[in-house]
Amino acid sequence: MFLQELKFDSTVQTYIKDITDVVNETIKKTKTNYGFAIVSSKHTTLGIIVSEIAEPNLLSDFIDHSLTNIHEDKRSTRVEKGYQYPTRDYKHRCQDNPFCNEIDEDYNAAAHIRYLALSHSSVMIPIRDGILELGKYQQVAIFEFDGRDGKGKNPIRKRTVQIWITPADTLTVL
Amino acid sequence: MFLQELKFDSTVQTYIKDITDVVNETIKKTKTNYGFAIVSSKHTTLGIIVSEIAEPNLLSDFIDHSLTNIHEDKRSTRVEKGYQYPTRDYKHRCQDNPFCNEIDEDYNAAAHIRYLALSHSSVMIPIRDGILELGKYQQVAIFEFDGRDGKGKNPIRKRTVQIWITPADTLTVL
Amino acid sequence: MFLQELKFDSTVQTYIKDITDVVNETIKKTKTNYGFAIVSSKHTTLGIIVSEIAEPNLLSDFIDHSLTNIHEDKRSTRVEKGYQYPTRDYKHRCQDNPFCNEIDEDYNAAAHIRYLALSHSSVMIPIRDGILELGKYQQVAIFEFDGRDGKGKNPIRKRTVQIWITPADTLTVL
């Protein structure tokens, strides 16, 4: 099988970005005609989705839904006077994780819940004739729920998404 | 690997339909004893679930939850006097998608969000002894969020779901 | 491919349990260097997640979210005077499932919806250098939504989770 890593900064809190072309380029590089692409996140507040991505107003509706229905932590640095979405109490603090050895003082429970509720740690997409087998309106995208612009106490978010390609010998269409 | 396509019309807006028997028939045709079945949708408002499907009242609860908790677009043709579920404002219009070359004037942002929140673009189910390895109450089903009856401006929904079978050489039980 | 089953009792209604070490031990037993681990549930009210699991307050936030946002059935034995989460009407009864041949008189529609909304029937995680390829904060866990302590009419919940390992011949990093 094959692996290609995408590395990028997430400086915006919540956004959706189409990566269909990148995955198709990876498939091309591997000369895979049939098989599966598995796109996986290395993070717990950034997930993968297969959805309609090409219509920007729909992405705006997705983001608005995520912020409206899964309330932000009252303590978050994002919540200031004039914050337009609902807030509530949570318990989680990043720095309470035993693996945490970095500066990370924000309160991102809501980002974790949005990831669980609206995205996947990985998605599996068939490859047919050397390209992702997607419907007319389907694209594959990252859904970031916890980008950081580096302006507060926390550093800019460094993200890694992996593209795994598993070729199959043949395809028989029944 | 093997591929079988299911093609059907979705004329009801929101419904759940068991396809376990169809997937098992596909497995049988391919004479696969061990491996995986990947059931994938070609659409962004129709997803796949593995759930208890055989109890009709539970399906009614699932559908009621989807319509209650993810509010319908106020502009949707489905929202008329007497509509019993909550509504809200969204921005998405189908015809704003650059890939849209058909008559599609409805406002289906809610259907897209329901798909993201409650279903999957694909599910992967193990095959054991020539049949889906499912628990007593598990079935695999399509969850349609945006069927169209063809009576308004938009045509009947034509849907495609794919069943992919990837055989494994052997199974070792540890 | 390889299969290992985990069998355990769920006596607490809603809980999250890290199984990363168990999956890694299974990988080790199979001497798999590269490939995928597929962790799958045999149940419809117990799912699998990949998330940050090591911070207990975050798990508490996840559980609180699940109970607050997806309302409990008014008829459930869990709802007594002083129950602190919202309730609503559902239609589902366990014993109405045609496959039900056991004592099961509870009303668990909410547990089914929480499973659909917040977990997966299976997750697929890459294996690299003989270990799950997870990010710093990622673990794999079961999310139980319907444990039973055996004190009422319903027996203790017996649960089965399966770990499937599919080795790959080689890994090429692009």
Side-chain angles (χ1 to χ4, degrees):
Chain A
M1 64 183 186
F2 301 90
L3 165 62
Q4 176 152 343
E5 289 199 334
L6 307 184
K7 290 178 178 290
F8 54 94
D9 292 346
S10 275
T11 56
V12 172
Q13 184 199 3
T14 312
Y15 70 92
I16 295 165
K17 188 174 159 53
D18 182 6
I19 58 167
T20 310
D21 287 349
V22 183
V23 180
N24 275 327
E25 281 162 28
T26 301
I27 295 168
K28 206 171 174 183
K29 269 191 222 168
T30 67
K31 294 177 180 155
T32 300
N33 280 321
Y34 301 105
F36 287 91
I38 295 95
V39 181
S40 65
S41 167
K42 297 288 293 278
H43 307 281
T44 56
T45 52
L46 179 151
I48 316 294
I49 58 172
V50 173
S51 176
E52 180 172 332
I53 308 296
E55 204 287 271
N57 283 324
L58 182 59
L59 303 191
S60 171
D61 287 335
F62 287 163
I63 292 169
D64 189 69
H65 172 84
S66 75
L67 299 173
T68 302
N69 283 50
I70 298 171
H71 300 183
E72 191 57 77
D73 193 315
K74 275 181 185 165
R75 303 166 298 175
S76 166
T77 54
R78 288 155 188 151
V79 177
E80 299 159 354
K81 212 177 156 179
Y83 183 76
Q84 64 180 314
Y85 295 101
T87 61
R88 60 165 292 188
D89 293 320
Y90 292 105
K91 294 180 179 169
H92 173 58
R93 298 191 314 165
C94 297
Q95 65 265 47
D96 291 337
N97 187 304
F99 300 133
C100 184
N101 57 355
E102 61 208 318
I103 299 164
D104 193 344
E105 302 193 356
D106 211 347
Y107 302 93
N108 68 349
H112 284 284
I113 297 172
R114 289 172 195 141
Y115 155 83
L116 274 191
L118 295 168
S119 73
H120 306 270
S121 59
S122 73
V123 300
M124 186 182 197
I125 307 167
I127 299 166
R128 191 177 184 183
D129 298 328
I131 197 168
L132 288 174
E133 173 76 346
L134 292 169
K136 180 177 175 182
Y137 292 108
Q138 285 182 312
Q139 288 110 46
V140 55
I142 56 163
F143 201 154
E144 169 68 73
F145 298 100
D146 199 26
R148 311 270 178 100
D149 63 9
K151 287 182 185 156
K153 286 183 177 170
N154 305 311
I156 284 175
R157 278 282 197 209
K158 302 285 178 191
R159 298 302 206 180
T160 302
V161 165
Q162 294 182 324
I163 303 166
W164 301 82
I165 308 292
T166 63
D169 292 335
T170 57
L171 174 67
T172 304
V173 180
L174 301 171
Chain B
M1 63 185 188
F2 301 90
L3 165 62
Q4 175 152 348
E5 290 199 333
L6 307 184
K7 290 179 178 290
F8 53 95
D9 292 347
S10 275
T11 56
V12 173
Q13 184 200 3
T14 311
Y15 71 92
I16 295 166
K17 188 174 159 53
D18 183 6
I19 58 167
T20 310
D21 287 349
V22 183
V23 180
N24 275 327
E25 281 162 29
T26 302
I27 295 168
K28 206 171 175 185
K29 267 191 223 169
T30 66
K31 295 178 181 155
T32 300
N33 279 320
Y34 302 105
F36 287 91
I38 296 96
V39 181
S40 64
S41 167
K42 298 286 295 276
H43 308 281
T44 56
T45 53
L46 178 151
I48 316 294
I49 59 172
V50 174
S51 175
E52 181 172 330
I53 308 296
E55 205 286 271
N57 283 324
L58 182 59
L59 304 191
S60 171
D61 288 336
F62 287 163
I63 291 168
D64 190 69
H65 172 85
S66 75
L67 299 174
T68 303
N69 284 50
I70 298 170
H71 300 184
E72 191 56 76
D73 193 315
K74 274 181 186 164
R75 302 166 297 175
S76 166
T77 54
R78 287 154 189 152
V79 177
E80 299 160 355
K81 211 178 159 179
Y83 183 75
Q84 64 179 314
Y85 295 102
T87 60
R88 60 165 293 187
D89 292 320
Y90 292 106
K91 292 180 180 170
H92 173 59
R93 300 191 312 166
C94 297
Q95 65 266 46
D96 291 337
N97 187 304
F99 300 132
C100 184
N101 57 355
E102 62 208 318
I103 299 165
D104 193 344
E105 300 194 357
D106 211 347
Y107 302 93
N108 68 348
H112 284 284
I113 297 172
R114 289 172 195 141
Y115 154 84
L116 274 191
L118 295 167
S119 73
H120 305 272
S121 59
S122 72
V123 301
M124 186 183 196
I125 306 168
I127 298 167
R128 193 178 183 182
D129 298 327
I131 198 168
L132 288 173
E133 172 76 346
L134 291 169
K136 180 177 175 182
Y137 293 108
Q138 285 181 313
Q139 288 110 45
V140 56
I142 55 164
F143 201 154
E144 169 68 73
F145 299 100
D146 198 26
R148 311 269 177 100
D149 63 9
K151 287 181 187 158
K153 285 183 177 169
N154 306 311
I156 285 175
R157 276 282 196 209
K158 301 286 177 191
R159 297 302 206 180
T160 301
V161 165
Q162 295 182 324
I163 303 167
W164 301 82
I165 308 292
T166 63
D169 292 334
T170 58
L171 173 68
T172 303
V173 180
L174 301 172
Chain C
M1 64 184 187
F2 301 91
L3 165 63
Q4 176 151 345
E5 288 200 335
L6 306 184
K7 290 179 178 289
F8 54 94
D9 292 347
S10 275
T11 57
V12 172
Q13 184 200 2
T14 312
Y15 71 92
I16 295 166
K17 189 174 158 53
D18 183 6
I19 58 168
T20 311
D21 287 350
V22 183
V23 181
N24 275 326
E25 282 161 30
T26 302
I27 295 169
K28 207 171 172 183
K29 268 192 222 167
T30 66
K31 295 178 179 155
T32 301
N33 280 319
Y34 301 104
F36 286 91
I38 295 96
V39 181
S40 65
S41 167
K42 297 286 294 277
H43 308 282
T44 55
T45 54
L46 179 150
I48 316 294
I49 58 172
V50 173
S51 176
E52 181 172 330
I53 308 296
E55 204 288 270
N57 283 324
L58 182 58
L59 303 191
S60 171
D61 287 337
F62 287 163
I63 291 168
D64 190 69
H65 172 84
S66 75
L67 298 173
T68 302
N69 283 52
I70 297 169
H71 300 182
E72 190 57 76
D73 193 314
K74 274 181 187 165
R75 303 165 298 173
S76 167
T77 55
R78 288 154 188 151
V79 176
E80 299 160 355
K81 212 177 157 179
Y83 183 76
Q84 64 180 315
Y85 295 101
T87 60
R88 59 165 294 187
D89 293 320
Y90 292 106
K91 294 181 181 169
H92 173 57
R93 298 191 316 164
C94 297
Q95 65 265 46
D96 291 338
N97 187 304
F99 300 132
C100 184
N101 57 353
E102 62 209 318
I103 299 164
D104 194 344
E105 301 195 357
D106 211 347
Y107 302 93
N108 68 349
H112 284 284
I113 297 172
R114 289 171 195 141
Y115 154 85
L116 274 191
L118 294 168
S119 73
H120 305 271
S121 59
S122 73
V123 300
M124 186 184 197
I125 307 168
I127 299 167
R128 191 178 184 183
D129 298 327
I131 197 168
L132 288 173
E133 172 77 345
L134 291 169
K136 180 178 176 181
Y137 293 108
Q138 284 181 313
Q139 288 110 45
V140 56
I142 55 165
F143 201 153
E144 169 68 73
F145 299 100
D146 198 26
R148 311 269 177 100
D149 63 10
K151 287 180 186 157
K153 286 184 178 169
N154 305 311
I156 285 175
R157 276 283 195 208
K158 302 285 178 192
R159 297 302 207 179
T160 301
V161 165
Q162 295 182 323
I163 302 166
W164 301 82
I165 308 292
T166 61
D169 292 333
T170 57
L171 174 67
T172 303
V173 180
L174 301 172

